[in-house]
Amino acid sequence: MSKRRFTQDQRAAIVSELDAGEMAADVSRRYGVSIRTLYRWRVKCADVKQPAADSWRLRSLEDENQRLKRQFAELTLDYATLRAALIRDVRGDC
């Protein structure tokens, strides 16, 4: 198994050069990696950068889900109570 030549920080620096507008062929020649590897690193670095925004969005969706579950439980209880009262009223009148 081959050892990794670049650390994660070094990869991020290389990808930032690529994102700054340098040609992929020039960057790949300078660091001795293939162009395909550069683009693969770019995708992985983008995935690493996303979690801050994604975690905030996930947290807000979880909060909204909990709020909706509480509302659903409350409405279900109200429905069951009203249905039971309606059935008792209907049976009492007959």
Side-chain angles (χ1 to χ4, degrees):
M1 190 155 121
S2 66
K3 107 179 169 116
R4 293 185 177 172
R5 291 180 18 189
F6 298 101
T7 65
Q8 187 64 30
D9 294 334
Q10 290 171 331
R11 290 178 187 177
I14 294 169
V15 168
S16 67
E17 288 181 23
L18 191 62
D19 290 338
E22 291 195 43
M23 298 294 293
D26 296 337
V27 175
S28 69
R29 245 183 269 118
R30 188 178 317 133
Y31 293 103
V33 295
S34 70
I35 295 174
R36 181 68 205 137
T37 300
L38 289 177
Y39 287 118
R40 193 173 342 116
W41 288 354
R42 178 191 260 175
V43 169
K44 286 184 181 180
C45 285
D47 290 344
V48 170
K49 293 176 186 175
Q50 288 297 333
D54 287 346
S55 65
W56 178 82
R57 185 166 188 271
L58 178 65
R59 178 65 183 174
S60 68
L61 289 174
E62 286 174 346
D63 291 343
E64 183 181 8
N65 189 33
Q66 287 298 319
R67 182 182 59 81
L68 292 172
K69 281 183 178 181
R70 270 188 248 114
Q71 278 184 336
F72 178 75
E74 187 177 317
L75 289 173
T76 302
L77 185 61
D78 289 346
Y79 172 77
T81 305
L82 290 172
R83 182 178 168 117
L86 182 63
I87 290 173
R88 271 187 263 135
D89 286 347
V90 171
R91 287 185 184 167
D93 290 339
C94 290

